Amino acid sequence: MKRLIFILSLLPLGLWAQESPWQFQGYLKYLGSYSHLNANFYPESLRPGLKVDNYDQLIHNRFDLKYYKGHWSGALSMRNRLFQGASPAQGDAFMDALETDAGLVDLSFLYWRSDEVLLHTIFDRAWLQYEFKNGNIRLGRQRINWGINTIFNPNDILNQYNFFDFDYEERPGTDAVRVQWFPSFDSQLELALAPAKEIAQSTAALRYRNNALTYDLQGIAGYFKDNLTLGAGWAGNIWDLGFKGEFNYYWPLNDLQQEAWVFSTGLDYVLSNGLYISAGYLYNQSAPQEGGIGDFGQLGAGQVLSPKNPFIFQHTAIVNSNYAFNPLFNGSFTLMYSPDAHSTIVFPSLSYSLSTNLDLMLAGQFFLSDNPIENDYWQWLVRATYLRLKWSF
């Protein structure tokens, strides 16, 4: 397998001519980050040994190899990442989380590790598809995206993602077999099965999509990790406002779990000057009723929560906006607020296209909450800033 990885990394870009059934592309990114932790959230006895200033560097390379010919198509995609700084210095906790492959087949490889450097590769796409009349069947590691809403997607029972992991635009895949059938131009029936090493931890579901009364509608029924689940979603308009939503209910098949509702909805609008604005709400029954400051740690890059428990708070309001200042310069701003401990997350970003294949991004993530150490005074917990340079080929 390591020999295959090496060969892929040396493939000449000119090998794939336009008339060839093969397509090859990818990118090389540098991401530098600095985060500052507020020591006031920790007891005084722990503050002397607390590392409050943390620096990280990440070199991130991706190769996407795709094949299209006749009824057949396929894809093989790999991520190569070199970590340097505070994250590798965390030791076994970070290494284990990085090396663990959640799929049925282990396609994660850790080559080299030191106190401050890690070199890691993972294949997040490896699938083969055959197309037949009115449908197709796909087998392998793939992304099965059933979500409709803008940020939180309860209907994505096979492929949840981490909104805060902005450096991973492609989002994770899952080892599955998927069959799609299109009875008509506006309807779709889809069956997906994602087996696990323990049968009870598998996922299998059926989705049906159609259009009615100017709305795109879908219904989902299936099995998710020892739970039965039912869900639905919609997308349409209320006057000039886009209106989306989705929900899932989980009924556990054992006494160790509890039933759960997950619901999200939102409105969005584009102003005449091109400013996009959306506002939404998430209800997550499985989250603790009172969020703790330690829950913010579950939002780190590379971590993905369960579709049964997709966020760290029960109630979350979201406001998001995007604006193109000109064709080369874009900005976005996201604000999340939960009444649980008055928790607030602010996520601004700016991106600029330096050339056709070269982009620069500046982003920040700021987490605020009531401080139980300081008489529940509301203040920031973590401030993180990121600078990214991306070259696409």
Side-chain angles (χ1 to χ4, degrees), residues 11-12 16 20 24 44 57 70 119 131 134 150 152 167 188 213 229 255 269 275 278 311 314 339 369:
L11 284 174
W16 317 112
S20 169
F24 182 72
E44 291 188 11
Q57 297 186 88
L119 179 59
E131 295 185 9
N134 296 333
T150 305
F152 292 109
D167 195 47
Q188 175 187 355
L213 302 175
T229 183
D255 296 332
Y269 185 75
L275 175 65
S278 68
F311 202 50
Q314 275 202 356
S369 180

Side-chain angles (χ1 to χ4, degrees), residues 131-173:
E131 295 185 9
F132 54 87
K133 185 178 180 180
N134 296 333
N136 60 70
I137 180 170
R138 179 180 292 186
L139 175 66
R141 182 161 296 184
Q142 57 189 290
R143 177 149 188 87
I144 302 177
N145 181 14
W146 287 357
I148 292 178
N149 205 16
T150 305
I151 294 179
F152 292 109
N153 304 119
N155 285 174
D156 261 343
I157 64 174
L158 290 127
N159 268 143
Q160 280 289 311
Y161 76 102
N162 183 351
F163 173 74
F164 298 94
D165 192 0
F166 63 90
D167 195 47
Y168 190 14
E169 300 94 335
E170 298 80 14
R171 302 176 182 177

Side-chain angles (χ1 to χ4, degrees), residues 19-41:
E19 63 272 12
S20 169
W22 298 95
Q23 294 182 7
F24 182 72
Q25 61 185 16
Y27 56 67
L28 179 64
K29 297 189 288 190
Y30 168 80
L31 178 68
S33 64
Y34 164 71
S35 62
H36 185 76
L37 182 67
N38 187 352
N40 291 333
F41 274 82

Side-chain angles (χ1 to χ4, degrees), residues 179-197:
V179 181
Q180 292 182 315
W181 181 53
F182 303 92
S184 64
F185 75 94
D186 61 352
S187 64
Q188 175 187 355
L189 190 64
E190 185 170 347
L191 173 66
L193 169 63
K197 295 176 182 178

Side-chain angles (χ1 to χ4, degrees), residues 169-227:
E169 300 94 335
E170 298 80 14
R171 302 176 182 177
T174 189
D175 294 344
V177 56
R178 185 196 70 183
V179 181
Q180 292 182 315
W181 181 53
F182 303 92
S184 64
F185 75 94
D186 61 352
S187 64
Q188 175 187 355
L189 190 64
E190 185 170 347
L191 173 66
L193 169 63
K197 295 176 182 178
E198 297 182 13
I199 296 178
Q201 296 300 304
S202 301
T203 300
L206 183 69
R207 179 179 73 153
Y208 178 70
R209 298 186 67 186
N210 209 330
N211 184 276
L213 302 175
T214 71
Y215 271 73
D216 293 324
L217 305 173
Q218 69 180 25
I220 295 173
Y223 174 91
F224 173 79
K225 298 183 178 180
D226 223 10
N227 292 263

